[in-house]
Amino acid sequence: MRTDSPTPVRLADYRPFPYSIDKVDLAFDLAPSATRVTAKLAVTRISETPEPLKLDGVRLKLLSLTLDGEQVSQDAFTVGDEDLTIHAPPAHFELETVVEIDPAGNTALEGLYVSAGR
């Protein structure tokens, strides 16, 4: 479990997500300490002005990132401890990410984790 205090989100600070995720396909290659997850997202920008796409994710190791089937260059995105930001995505695109997670090492019991050693 996280030990830091959550930051409240006030209604006055709320902004709708600037993108629509129109379709999601997930594939899991399960292994206790190295599960590979492939996510394919059909994404459409709904805001009038271009802005970065920020996706949250904790304890993920990014293995691959493609937009419309093309590998994304290292300077076009940033990977943080808990997020992935694509700086200038097109207005409509298919995003594919391949990440590795460690279910056996996930002691937060959030997301995918091994329960009772199984």
Side-chain angles (χ1 to χ4, degrees):
M1 295 190 356
R2 291 185 184 173
T3 57
D4 54 341
S5 299
T7 305
V9 177
R10 292 177 173 69
L11 184 56
D13 299 331
Y14 175 77
R15 285 185 52 220
F17 191 59
Y19 291 90
S20 170
I21 309 297
D22 304 315
K23 183 178 177 184
V24 177
D25 289 319
L26 296 173
F28 294 84
D29 184 8
L30 297 172
S33 60
T35 290
R36 192 170 281 210
V37 181
T38 301
K40 293 180 183 178
L41 310 175
V43 183
T44 303
R45 186 179 67 231
I46 55 176
S47 68
E48 292 183 21
T49 57
E51 55 187 289
L53 170 65
K54 181 179 176 186
L55 301 172
D56 295 333
V58 180
R59 295 178 296 278
L60 304 176
K61 177 181 175 185
L62 182 64
L63 302 177
S64 173
L65 177 65
T66 61
L67 282 174
D68 295 327
E70 299 291 326
Q71 200 69 30
V72 179
S73 67
Q74 290 282 15
D75 60 340
F77 68 95
T78 304
V79 177
D81 289 338
E82 297 186 359
D83 57 32
L84 165 68
T85 302
I86 301 171
H87 303 299
H92 180 76
F93 57 97
E94 180 177 282
L95 172 68
E96 180 176 308
T97 59
V98 180
V99 299
E100 186 176 273
I101 59 178
D102 179 7
N106 179 359
T107 59
L109 304 181
E110 297 174 336
L112 190 62
Y113 61 91
V114 174
S115 176
R118 298 182 188 142

